[in-house]
Amino acid sequence: MLRPALFAEIPLIVRQIIAVFHKDLRSEIKTRYAINAVLMFVLTTVAMIVFSTADERLSNGLASGILWIIMFFSAMTGLSKTFVSEEERGTGLLLQLSTPPTAVYFGKLFFNILLTVVLYTAAVLLFFLFIHEITIKTPLLFVAVLLLGSIATASATTIIAAIIARANTRSALFPVLSFPILLPLVLSGVEATYQSLTGIAFGQAQSNLIILASYSVVLVAVSTMLFDFVWKD
Amino acid sequence: MVSYSMKALILSAGFLIGLLVGLFPSPERPRPKWWQITVFLFFSVMIAVALLPPLGGSFSDAVLMSRVTGNKIVPVKATLLPETLVRDEQAGTWTMQMRDFSEPNIRATVIFPFEPPHDAKVAVVRMYRAESDVMFRATSVLSTDPLFTLPFIPDLNERARNIYFHVPLSWVAVLAYLIAMIYSIQYLRKNDHAYDVKAVSAASIGTLFTFLATVTGAIWAEFNWGTFWNWDPRETSIFILLLIYGAYFALRSAVENEDKRARLAAVYAIFAFVSVPFLVYIMPRIMEGLHPGSGSDVNAGPIVSAQPDALNPIKQIIFSLSFCSFTMVFFWMLSLRIRTGLLEYRMARQE
């Protein structure tokens, strides 16, 4: 981490955000609460798709759709863990007492962004390992979609995860609540992925990336305002 | 024909009267008797004028439809010229000249297989193009001296009447969600449980209206576009609206604690609303789709278009009336639902 002298100069809220992020990261590395199960889930899904497509040649449109299905459901299994685990271990109350809600929200958001990037990268690597006929013609665009898509997914689902951690039927409720909010993102994500597979130049495909970025900004802004009501008892 | 500003005026009057009368005296107070009678009258008049009057096209509509395969018979509204009536004994038919109602300088000869009405001035006659563009063959007389007629829209035909139900229903579906969101914000600000009851009432009636808008749209799509569902951008947006309403109630049923349920549901209602303006008002206008007013379409859709064929005054007034009546009926249902909801809540508190 950062040297203590440098650390002291950073505003308190940023330090708190970093602390929450750091805590979640260390706890994840130690327990592997989310990552192991979800990586296995990704592997299972990709294997399932490889078997079910058999010898069929996937078209670019179909491939980008299937890729987003894998990515969506892996996010849906993994991203609720940050809040659900607090609730299950009973550590939520301690966190409420020691840290302001904004710091908790942003700490968890950054952790979720990192988790989503890892999950999406794993999904993409496995997908291209098993399915050879698809090639990425505009790699820069593809990486940008992956990155912005991760940020957008995490910013849409972090507050939903906080909501469902308080409800009873958690695992079923998470995709149900997330889907209407994620759908605009998935639509632009699928289209931009398709563009990167067919080889459209980066400059021509910016509109979808702009939608992904601006929608994330709006979602994070609204989440910041609403998070207090979800988090505080 | 009316000017574009006139059209805007008529439509905004409908919106405004609907909202103002609908909100009177306030959403949760009982409605006075005169209010109930007024809304009932508005609604029945609206249904009558949307369903009963005949469609009245022109001779050029009949010519246009003759080039399209399928139903070539068009109801044409025209002025009768009884002095030109000629009886053809050999063929057993009557021929008469008629003057087009909307374009008075166009005259055409119509062949009637029965005796045409002669005591009327104007008639709506179902006919199709015969040998030339000024020669038509009548099949039946729909109405004589009609008070007014609805515009004939090629391809839509009688199905055009659905516009007076489907479009206002969709508008109320979004309005109901907007109101549910406003009540949710109020709940979070004031922490008063009555606002939660109001939000859930608006959402439950909104679900009904969304469902009706989807069904009327799907039936219309089946007969105009060939399938019940095409994933047109507007269909996608109403689908997401249905999903949001569904998710809202799924969340409510998953939380037992009353305060927690109200708070979480309110947060979700506000958070999910972020995408709605974009999905309902922006995306369908940018992307290509089947609805009028989409990105690939030349006109801007029936509501904001300035094209002459979208500026029929009768159509505008009925459209405005139907917006107004559906909004008022929505607020009536909402007030009933809120009041029963509040009573239920108070009874549960007393037990």
Side-chain angles (χ1 to χ4, degrees):
Chain A
M1 283 298 287
L2 298 156
R3 275 175 291 139
L6 200 65
F7 201 75
E9 281 164 27
I10 304 169
L12 180 67
I13 186 79
V14 178
R15 267 184 287 161
Q16 282 167 326
I17 292 172
I18 293 171
V20 172
F21 174 78
H22 191 66
K23 172 210 117 242
D24 271 355
L25 189 64
R26 280 184 62 181
S27 140
E28 183 57 47
I29 290 166
K30 200 173 174 190
T31 59
R32 296 195 186 83
Y33 189 92
I35 201 84
N36 271 356
V38 183
L39 283 180
M40 283 312 291
F41 177 87
V42 171
L43 182 64
T44 321
T45 323
V46 174
M48 188 74 200
I49 280 159
V50 172
F51 292 133
S52 54
T53 51
D55 295 334
E56 288 294 324
R57 269 189 74 85
L58 288 181
S59 66
N60 285 334
L62 206 55
S64 48
I66 286 175
L67 194 56
W68 272 89
I69 292 177
I70 302 171
M71 279 156 45
F72 173 77
F73 281 105
S74 63
M76 287 302 103
T77 38
L79 292 187
S80 63
K81 301 275 197 236
T82 42
F83 281 102
V84 172
S85 69
E86 300 281 358
E87 204 73 18
E88 280 172 358
R89 295 175 194 155
T91 49
L93 208 58
L94 275 173
L95 202 58
Q96 271 181 47
L97 288 173
S98 57
T99 328
T102 319
V104 176
Y105 174 72
F106 279 101
K108 301 272 186 195
L109 174 69
F110 292 137
F111 177 72
N112 270 349
I113 291 176
L114 181 70
L115 191 63
T116 322
V117 170
V118 172
L119 287 180
Y120 281 8
T121 315
V124 166
L125 288 179
L126 284 170
F127 185 79
F128 284 104
L129 186 70
F130 287 116
I131 293 167
H132 312 285
E133 63 261 28
I134 305 291
T135 48
I136 305 169
K137 304 233 171 57
T138 326
L140 185 63
L141 178 63
F142 190 83
V143 172
V145 174
L146 211 62
L147 207 63
L148 283 174
S150 309
I151 293 172
T153 313
S155 34
T157 51
T158 302
I159 193 165
I160 308 265
I163 290 175
I164 62 123
R166 302 284 162 120
N168 295 337
T169 44
R170 286 163 189 162
S171 51
L173 214 51
F174 191 48
V176 170
L177 295 192
S178 305
F179 185 65
I181 294 156
L182 278 177
L183 194 60
L185 301 176
V186 172
L187 290 178
S188 341
V190 170
E191 204 184 305
T193 312
Y194 175 72
Q195 286 169 337
S196 76
L197 295 182
T198 48
I200 287 176
F202 186 77
Q204 287 171 320
Q206 276 176 356
S207 64
N208 283 310
L209 299 181
I210 292 169
I211 292 177
L212 285 176
S214 48
Y215 195 53
S216 322
V217 171
V218 176
L219 289 175
V220 170
V222 178
S223 300
T224 325
M225 287 189 265
L226 293 173
F227 187 71
D228 284 17
F229 298 104
V230 185
W231 184 239
K232 277 186 180 158
D233 272 319
Chain B
M1 290 297 125
V2 284
S3 68
Y4 186 52
S5 51
M6 191 69 180
K7 171 181 177 169
L9 199 70
I10 294 174
L11 267 181
S12 19
F15 276 108
L16 270 179
I17 294 172
L19 280 174
L20 289 179
V21 176
L23 281 165
F24 179 87
S26 89
E28 67 271 14
R29 294 247 291 279
R31 304 295 148 122
K33 227 357 152 255
W34 62 264
W35 190 95
Q36 297 179 1
I37 295 169
T38 312
V39 172
F40 184 77
L41 276 179
F42 260 77
F43 197 66
S44 5
V45 167
M46 178 246 132
I47 291 189
V49 294
L51 293 182
L52 297 178
L55 301 179
S58 63
F59 287 120
S60 38
D61 286 331
V63 172
L64 184 74
M65 287 302 282
S66 73
R67 302 206 191 99
V68 191
T69 51
N71 189 12
K72 294 184 172 67
I73 300 173
V74 172
V76 173
K77 186 184 187 185
T79 314
L80 299 164
L81 303 167
E83 65 275 9
T84 62
L85 181 66
V86 179
R87 168 97 168 111
D88 184 346
E89 295 291 345
Q90 222 171 359
T93 55
W94 287 259
T95 53
M96 188 203 267
Q97 300 230 330
M98 290 174 88
R99 202 187 315 128
D100 199 297
F101 193 78
S102 49
E103 296 150 77
N105 50 347
I106 294 181
R107 269 187 176 208
T109 311
V110 182
I111 305 162
F112 287 86
F114 47 86
E115 194 170 358
H118 32 64
D119 49 345
K121 277 203 175 101
V122 180
V124 179
V125 182
R126 283 163 62 79
M127 59 175 75
Y128 57 94
R129 181 183 176 275
E131 288 78 25
S132 73
D133 284 357
V134 287
M135 190 80 127
F136 297 87
R137 203 175 284 273
T139 58
S140 61
V141 177
L142 267 184
S143 137
T144 52
D145 286 332
L147 204 57
F148 60 89
T149 52
L150 301 179
F152 174 85
I153 303 168
D155 304 336
L156 287 182
N157 223 329
E158 293 285 337
R159 293 185 291 269
R161 295 173 199 275
N162 196 0
I163 200 173
Y164 307 116
F165 298 91
H166 175 64
V167 181
L169 281 170
S170 319
W171 143 251
V172 172
V174 181
L175 175 75
Y177 186 30
L178 177 72
I179 288 172
M181 194 213 49
I182 292 171
Y183 280 138
S184 301
I185 295 176
Q186 292 287 74
Y187 174 78
L188 291 184
R189 285 181 59 186
K190 303 192 174 151
N191 211 10
D192 177 0
H193 205 86
Y195 285 114
D196 181 53
V197 173
K198 289 173 191 175
V200 77
S201 309
S204 59
I205 294 169
T207 315
L208 175 72
F209 275 83
T210 315
F211 180 73
L212 287 178
T214 316
V215 170
T216 51
I219 294 171
W220 205 2
E222 164 70 18
F223 292 102
N224 250 59
W225 301 334
T227 46
F228 284 108
W229 204 262
N230 304 281
W231 293 113
D232 166 89
R234 272 186 205 280
E235 290 179 348
T236 310
S237 61
I238 200 112
F239 173 72
I240 294 178
L241 204 58
L242 265 180
L243 280 181
I244 292 176
Y245 277 128
Y248 178 79
F249 286 106
L251 175 64
R252 289 190 75 89
S253 59
V255 189
E256 271 158 34
N257 181 298
E258 222 168 52
D259 283 334
K260 212 196 259 180
R261 175 173 62 214
R263 211 167 54 229
L264 295 180
V267 168
Y268 185 70
I270 300 165
F271 189 62
F273 192 76
V274 171
S275 65
V276 170
F278 172 74
L279 285 169
V280 176
Y281 294 108
I282 301 170
M283 188 185 79
R285 295 202 174 272
I286 300 173
M287 284 173 71
E288 294 194 1
L290 297 161
H291 274 83
S294 59
S296 57
D297 204 353
V298 285
N299 74 41
I303 297 180
V304 294
S305 173
Q307 286 191 318
D309 60 335
L311 290 174
N312 185 301
I314 303 280
K315 189 178 144 196
Q316 290 319 315
I317 290 167
I318 301 176
F319 209 42
S320 171
L321 183 66
S322 68
F323 264 94
C324 172
S325 333
F326 271 106
T327 314
M328 293 193 287
V329 166
F330 162 71
F331 278 112
W332 195 353
M333 290 169 79
L334 181 65
S335 85
L336 289 174
R337 184 76 180 70
I338 287 176
R339 280 157 57 209
T340 46
L342 286 174
L343 284 177
E344 275 166 15
Y345 174 67
R346 276 175 206 141
M347 273 165 67
R349 288 287 293 278
Q350 276 168 10
E351 272 163 17

